[in-house]
Amino acid sequence: MLQNNSALAQLKQQIRETTPRVQGVIKATDRGFGFLEAEDGTSYFVPPPAMKQVLHGDRVDALVKQEGDKTSVEPDTLLEAGLDRFVARLVKRDGRLSVVPDHPLINNQLRARLKNSLDENTLGDGDWVVARLVRHPLKPDDRGFFAQVDELVVKADNPAVPWRVTLARHALEQASPQFGEQWPLHDEGLEREDWTATPFFTIDGEKTRDMDDALHIETREDVWRLSVAIADPTAYVREGDPVDLEAQTRAFTVYLPGQNVTMLPETLANELCSLKEGEDRPTLVCSLDIHSDGTLGDYRFFAAHVRSHARLVYDQVSDWLEGQGDWTPADDSLATQLKALAAMTEARNAWREEHTLVFKDRPDYAFDVDDAGNVLAVRIEERRVAQRMIEESMIAANACCADLLASRVGHGIFNVHQAFEPEKADQAIEFLATQDISVEREQLLELSRYRELRRALEAREDAWLDARLRRFQGYTNMSAHPGPHFGLGLSAYATWTSPIRKYGDMVNHRLIKRVLKGEDAPAEASQALTEQLTERRRLNRMAERDVKDWLYVRYLGPSAENGEVFDAEIIAINRGGMRVRLSANGATAFVPAPFMHSERDKVVIDDKEGHIQIEGQPRYKLGDNVQVALAEAVETTRSLVARPAT
């Protein structure tokens, strides 16, 4: 018998060695089968029995099998697990524990054990936990999947489930840091000018608590003198202190619908540093000249004590400047400043439109949420004149910061954005050529040339072209060295205007203070720090998106039941269908191919080109405006499903 087993094992090994193999990533479906996406882009079918040995996201080495004209693969060796640390629902059945990962394409029930520090009696069926995969059937000596539960995230009946689960999924902190209530000002050897009598004002949202910028503007001959005062948390927090190290770890305040998790202790973020009306605050100030044609002139950074003389709200200011509403400024001096700021904004915006680049206006969507986690409403927040006034002021002040750090220090925390990653530039050139747009490589990689190209493309007003180009474009990274920001069209950009919310701005504050005191600059920020800042910003944005998706499903459940119709824009096309964004509230929904036509083979999807044909005729493309009817709101996957309304 042993000889027979040995012979069988040798035979299987010989088959493995002679069978063609392929490496790739497993993509699961909700029908039991899956696909292996190879590194060259080829997709291989994985039958249901083989899918029981893998999970979505696993990177595997697989055997290629050919039966007639059908090709499939059998995963053989695990190269990298797609699941490591994960959030899951706990399942308690007949004295046994298992977990179901919180993932739309992983519905496996994995056997589990508790970490020694956890008490099973405190955990209930359906509770949310953090777990780790410790066994995998494709690992040597592992016969099946097995997980360890490391911590309880939140009880199943807690109204805070969407927030707690999302933060846990991205390994973000659940609450603001706690470091006591006493925060004395440190002696930094920095002289602060007294500007408390100067009538600064703030413009923020009605519910904003961490107000970090205040403005003052006066009109001089052919120039506006704009003074931007920024809250100064580094006056309270020494570099290297525990609260500073915690802020460095968190990197940003996390803004979620209905809940913020501050980077700094709330006493600092919302009280001592917040530029509240009538309160004296330590600040860093940049006074800069802006000429009537919108160009920036001289600037000066200095430390000062500042007092906000008025707390203004975006909508009220916009209404007044647009000649509507009941609100009016408290006095003529404030009215004069607001009119001057509006005029400066128009001049500055016009200059940037001609010489740099200006973002297209897109609305924001704000959630009104009650204490039970219910969404009462989703409001459209347009970028009106007051928002643009603050935006242009901050961009100008940050451009001055970038110039100061580049010329006087040589390093800092800079936002660097390449329009196209060098390795994707050739692909972008080939794509543009298919649209009869001939470009040189330098037009994608050199800022001055890119500005010209971007304006020419925008003049086409082609939403499909814009959406297709985004496949090749790069992301904003944090860098210790100056570099171009293609999105803004600026040669360098360094933010210092949100130090309550961004650790990189705290770093830049300390560098500005070194310049003011005539001290030598410290060592530049490490690559580890800039990469961490970039990664934490990515995680924060994903957490915000995930919470919104969860709340959208809850909010739009009744709309799905009633088949309510919405105007929408096509924002993505893949081989399974298309994703749309609802104009009324910003929610995204998926329209599966079977909902586009009763016969699936009549729907031809070109996901690379962003086109969909139905019965041989072009029907949808990226950027199109369409009408869809909501069909399902699935909370387990936080997904909305829609069908074409016409």
Side-chain angles (χ1 to χ4, degrees):
M1 181 65 72
L2 291 175
Q3 289 180 340
N4 290 339
N5 288 340
S6 176
L8 182 60
Q10 289 179 0
L11 179 61
K12 288 182 177 180
Q13 183 61 30
Q14 290 175 0
I15 293 174
R16 281 196 179 93
E17 291 174 354
T18 58
T19 300
R21 307 176 77 91
V22 65
Q23 293 184 359
V25 177
I26 297 295
K27 303 293 184 182
T29 71
D30 58 4
R31 299 182 185 179
F33 59 83
F35 296 91
L36 182 145
E37 300 288 348
E39 295 169 356
D40 63 0
T42 306
S43 181
Y44 296 86
F45 179 73
V46 184
M51 282 298 296
K52 295 182 183 299
Q53 303 298 305
V54 291
L55 296 173
H56 177 84
D58 284 346
R59 185 168 172 268
V60 301
D61 184 273
L63 306 174
V64 180
K65 295 190 171 185
Q66 192 75 37
E67 295 182 6
D69 59 351
K70 294 182 179 180
T71 303
S72 64
V73 296
E74 178 185 334
D76 181 62
T77 305
L78 181 68
L79 302 176
E80 184 179 355
L83 201 63
D84 181 18
R85 174 196 179 276
F86 59 96
V87 173
R89 299 294 296 271
L90 191 68
V91 179
K92 299 180 75 173
R93 294 286 187 276
D94 301 324
R96 301 179 67 179
L97 290 177
S98 58
V99 292
V100 178
D102 183 42
H103 191 288
L105 294 174
I106 302 178
N107 56 14
N108 306 58
Q109 203 172 107
L110 311 178
R111 289 188 58 196
R113 64 173 181 243
L114 296 181
K115 189 176 181 180
N116 291 338
S117 58
L118 293 177
D119 181 359
E120 184 175 346
N121 294 324
T122 65
L123 302 177
D125 188 60
D127 288 349
W128 295 88
V129 297
V130 171
R132 285 182 299 111
L133 191 67
V134 294
R135 295 181 195 165
H136 191 293
L138 292 188
K139 284 184 178 180
D141 302 323
D142 285 355
R143 291 193 294 259
F145 294 108
F146 201 81
Q148 174 173 293
V149 176
D150 285 340
E151 64 178 284
L152 171 68
V153 174
V154 63
K155 301 292 288 182
D157 58 355
N158 191 317
V161 162
W163 294 266
R164 298 287 298 275
V165 169
T166 298
L167 291 169
R169 177 185 299 113
H170 299 293
L172 297 171
E173 293 77 13
Q174 294 278 349
S176 300
Q178 301 294 320
F179 283 94
E181 300 296 321
Q182 301 303 314
W183 297 97
L185 279 171
H186 298 306
D187 182 6
E188 302 176 273
L190 187 69
E191 182 179 348
R192 291 189 184 272
E193 301 178 19
D194 185 357
W195 278 51
T196 55
T198 303
F200 280 87
F201 58 89
T202 64
I203 309 178
D204 282 287
E206 190 170 2
K207 297 181 180 179
T208 302
R209 298 176 63 195
D210 52 348
M211 294 174 285
D212 49 15
D213 58 86
L215 303 178
H216 176 265
I217 188 169
E218 55 183 321
T219 304
R220 302 186 175 187
E221 185 176 352
D222 217 27
V223 70
W224 291 284
R225 171 68 55 82
L226 174 67
S227 294
V228 179
I230 302 299
D232 186 9
T234 61
Y236 299 94
V237 179
R238 284 196 176 101
E239 187 173 3
D241 281 355
V243 65
D244 179 64
L245 297 177
E246 180 67 17
Q248 179 178 321
T249 297
R250 293 172 179 246
F252 296 89
T253 287
V254 183
Y255 290 96
L256 304 175
Q259 177 186 341
N260 298 335
V261 181
T262 60
M263 178 185 76
L264 294 169
E266 290 187 359
T267 302
L268 281 176
N270 299 335
E271 298 296 334
L272 292 178
C273 292
S274 185
L275 303 184
K276 294 185 172 185
E277 182 178 358
E279 300 287 344
D280 294 353
R281 294 287 187 257
T283 62
L284 279 182
V285 182
C286 178
S287 282
L288 59 145
D289 289 342
I290 301 173
H291 298 285
S292 58
D293 62 358
T295 57
L296 297 182
D298 295 335
Y299 63 84
R300 179 174 77 96
F301 281 87
F302 56 95
H305 288 287
V306 162
R307 179 186 305 155
S308 170
H309 289 232
R311 186 201 190 291
L312 310 182
V313 176
Y314 284 126
D315 284 342
Q316 291 177 342
V317 172
S318 294
D319 285 346
W320 179 72
L321 288 170
E322 294 167 1
Q324 55 185 322
D326 299 327
W327 180 86
T328 58
D331 53 54
D332 291 342
S333 172
L334 181 57
T336 299
Q337 283 202 74
L338 292 176
K339 290 178 180 178
L341 188 60
M344 181 278 292
T345 296
E346 291 304 312
R348 183 70 184 148
N349 189 259
W351 182 88
R352 288 206 305 121
E353 284 185 339
E354 182 177 354
H355 297 282
T356 64
L357 293 170
V358 177
F359 294 119
K360 290 183 178 180
D361 283 348
R362 285 189 175 275
D364 291 324
Y365 298 91
F367 288 73
D368 293 330
V369 183
D370 65 17
D371 294 338
N374 300 308
V375 181
L376 305 178
V378 180
R379 294 175 286 105
I380 298 177
E381 292 188 339
E382 301 285 352
R383 286 180 63 256
R384 302 175 64 194
V385 59
Q387 281 91 342
R388 292 193 295 110
M389 286 157 56
I390 297 299
E391 181 181 275
E392 289 294 345
S393 299
M394 298 305 113
I395 291 175
N398 289 330
C400 292
C401 176
D403 182 75
L404 178 79
L405 295 181
S407 62
R408 301 286 297 276
V409 180
H411 60 82
I413 301 295
F414 293 85
N415 289 350
V416 176
H417 172 246
Q418 296 289 339
F420 295 89
E421 300 293 345
E423 60 270 18
K424 292 186 177 181
D426 291 336
Q427 298 176 44
I429 291 170
E430 292 175 6
F431 164 69
L432 289 169
T434 66
Q435 305 304 307
D436 297 324
I437 302 173
S438 177
V439 299
E440 302 170 6
R441 188 177 176 85
E442 290 74 15
Q443 287 179 275
L444 304 184
L445 302 179
E446 293 181 5
L447 181 60
S448 59
R449 301 290 304 280
Y450 173 72
R451 291 186 192 123
E452 300 170 359
L453 172 64
R454 187 69 252 175
R455 293 193 189 96
L457 294 177
E458 288 177 353
R460 287 181 167 231
E461 296 185 350
D462 188 334
W464 175 83
L465 180 64
D466 289 342
R468 285 286 288 112
L469 271 179
R470 280 197 287 272
R471 292 170 61 110
F472 311 110
Q473 291 181 332
Y475 299 95
T476 302
N477 294 309
M478 315 297 277
S479 171
H481 301 108
H485 192 296
F486 278 63
L488 289 170
L490 298 173
S491 58
Y493 193 68
T495 65
W496 66 288
T497 52
S498 296
I500 298 176
R501 313 171 185 188
K502 303 177 184 178
Y503 187 76
D505 290 28
M506 289 179 63
V507 173
N508 287 342
H509 268 228
R510 289 177 174 135
L511 293 175
I512 293 170
K513 288 180 178 180
R514 292 256 191 167
V515 173
L516 297 182
K517 293 187 287 185
E519 296 178 354
D520 292 336
E524 66 186 43
S526 66
Q527 183 176 350
L529 175 59
T530 55
E531 288 179 351
Q532 183 219 354
L533 296 178
T534 300
E535 174 63 9
R536 289 290 290 216
R537 179 170 57 185
R538 184 186 72 86
L539 291 175
N540 288 359
R541 290 173 176 171
M542 289 176 64
E544 180 184 9
R545 179 205 64 195
D546 288 354
V547 170
K548 285 183 175 180
D549 285 347
W550 205 323
L551 298 181
Y552 275 129
V553 167
R554 290 184 172 183
Y555 179 62
L556 293 172
S559 298
E561 290 179 3
N562 298 327
E564 187 173 348
V565 175
F566 291 88
D567 292 330
E569 177 189 359
I570 300 174
I571 58 174
I573 289 176
N574 60 40
R575 63 187 180 190
M578 62 186 183
R579 185 162 296 280
V580 300
R581 179 182 291 112
L582 309 186
S583 304
N585 48 49
T588 61
F590 187 66
V591 182
F595 282 10
M596 300 178 197
H597 197 283
S598 57
E599 299 179 46
R600 176 63 179 85
D601 59 358
K602 297 291 181 68
V603 181
V604 178
I605 298 176
D606 188 338
D607 56 327
K608 292 185 178 180
E609 292 298 321
H611 289 129
I612 297 177
Q613 290 186 350
I614 297 180
E615 295 184 339
Q617 298 298 315
R619 182 65 178 272
Y620 304 110
K621 67 179 185 298
L622 279 172
D624 278 356
N625 293 316
V626 295
Q627 283 196 322
V628 297
L630 286 185
E632 294 180 73
V634 187
E635 185 159 349
T636 53
T637 57
R638 271 79 82 188
S639 58
L640 295 168
V641 181
R643 63 176 71 249
T646 55

